[in-house]
Amino acid sequence: RVLWGSGYFMGVDINPEAALRAKLTLAKNKIPMFDVISGDLLSPLLHRLNKRLDIVIFNPPYVPTPSEEVGVGGIVASWAGGTKGREVCCQPKAYS
């Protein structure tokens, strides 16, 4: 609770159902200044925060899968890491 008064926190999940459940859990536990949105890693954050982030902590999909499975949505998106399990966290897409 030390940080509650000094920041705004956002959670992102590619699975809309997981994002909804996180929102409900935050509300039930009366956690302030925290928003949860559905989307890929950073795209929804950068738009909302004018490309200004202090810190990003994430748990990307890391299971080695065929590249075609990366970003397909649904439950597969939670584990499909692509070649060597590194395509999501090492994607060439620039977030600048």
Side-chain angles (χ1 to χ4, degrees):
R1 295 211 180 253
V2 173
L3 296 175
W4 290 148
S6 64
Y8 175 68
F9 305 89
M10 296 184 81
V12 179
D13 201 298
I14 199 164
N15 181 325
E17 181 67 21
L20 173 62
R21 296 295 166 192
K23 284 181 187 182
L24 294 172
T25 300
L26 289 165
K28 181 177 180 178
N29 290 287
K30 298 180 175 78
I31 304 296
M33 296 170 33
F34 203 116
D35 192 15
V36 180
I37 52 179
S38 181
D40 72 353
L41 180 60
L42 291 176
S43 296
L45 294 178
L46 294 176
H47 173 71
R48 289 171 181 240
L49 300 176
N50 196 24
K51 299 184 180 182
R52 294 177 297 169
L53 300 171
D54 290 327
I55 188 167
V56 175
I57 300 170
F58 70 107
N59 182 18
Y62 56 85
V63 175
T65 62
S67 293
E68 307 80 60
E69 291 184 14
V70 173
V72 298
I75 193 68
V76 173
S78 69
W79 69 72
T83 304
K84 297 183 182 179
R86 308 271 310 160
E87 285 184 37
V88 174
C89 65
C90 300
Q91 55 185 292
K93 180 178 179 181
Y95 288 105
S96 57

